[in-house]
């Protein structure tokens, strides 16, 4: 059974989802770990596709039932977590798991999976550029963008806890770097 996992973490707006989706499009043997969250769905998001959407009460009940590998209250009142059942579901199929989690979650998953895991920190060229990208993405309210930008500087300090730091300036260059990291890890 192939039980490798790949973890991508970054402050929100760095380009993590864009890079993860690119890698997934190249690798049919990889599967995205659908996290659980207590935040509201955004735009076209669907339950079971981008996230499992739970109420805060339901999320807390599942924490108490020890259903998570890891979870964080990433933003005040908004929980996010990796369900043990999701990891098992993907491994049962023999697929490689790809995670898109916040920086603390990324560090915790790396500790949990050890050498089975490749952890990559995606870094925007600057906090100002990250803010511009969140505004251009057009999916968050000004308040949500302000919360995310305010958190980014502290989150950047986690970069050295990852196996690799990938600077996402020119997207095509970042794609090539991500591909090389993933291919190197999978061929080991
Ligand atoms: P995250 O998942 O880290 O929150 P996204 O992948 O949603 O970030 O990217 C945030 C926004 O920035 C999106 O609108 C995306 O298209 C854009 N983006 C991603 N990478 C780049 C880049 N290298 N240059 C310019 N814009 C980018
Ligand atoms: P968003 O609300 O933009 O979808 O995600 C906000 C943050 O939560 C992102 O940094 C995202 O990677 C993170 N996140 C998503 N799923 C998980 C998870 O399962 N665990 C943790 N710790 N963070 C997550």
């Amino acid at each position: 059974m192939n039980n490798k996992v790949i973890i991508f973490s970054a402050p929100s707006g760095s380009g993590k989802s864009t890079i993860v989706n690119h890698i997934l499009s190249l690798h049919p043997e990889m599967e995205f770990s659908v996290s659980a969250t207590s935040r509201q769905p955004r735009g076209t998001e669907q339950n079971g596709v981008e996230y499992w959407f739970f109420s805060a009460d339901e999320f807390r009940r599942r924490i108490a039932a020890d259903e998570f590998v890891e979870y964080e209250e990433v933003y005040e009142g908004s929980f996010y977590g990796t369900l043990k059942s999701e990891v098992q579901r993907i491994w049962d199929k023999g697929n490689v798991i790809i995670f898109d989690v916040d920086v603390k979650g990324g560090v915790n998953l790396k500790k949990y999976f050890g050498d089975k895991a490749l952890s990559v920190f995606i870094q925007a060229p600057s906090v100002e550029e990250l803010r511009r990208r969140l505004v251009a993405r057009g999916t968050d309210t000004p308040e949500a963008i302000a919360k995310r930008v305010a958190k980014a500087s502290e989150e950047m300090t986690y970069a050295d806890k990852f196996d690799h730091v990938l600077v996402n300036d020119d997207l095509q260059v970042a794609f090539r770097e991500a591909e090389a990291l993933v291919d190197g890890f999978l061929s080991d």
Side-chain angles (χ1 to χ4, degrees), residues 10 12 16 35 39 42 51 70-72 74-75 80-82 100-102 105 137 148:
S12 179
K16 191 166 21 103
S35 293
R39 79 151 164 75
R42 197 164 67 191
Y51 285 106
E70 63 78 35
Y71 68 89
E72 296 288 334
V74 179
Y75 304 105
Y80 295 78
T82 303
D100 167 345
V101 296
D102 90 310
R137 189 169 73 183
R148 284 160 191 257

Side-chain angles (χ1 to χ4, degrees), residues 11-18 129 133 137 168-171:
S12 179
S14 307
K16 191 166 21 103
S17 307
T18 307
E129 172 60 15
R133 288 181 188 174
R137 189 169 73 183
N168 178 19
D169 188 354
D170 179 304
L171 186 58

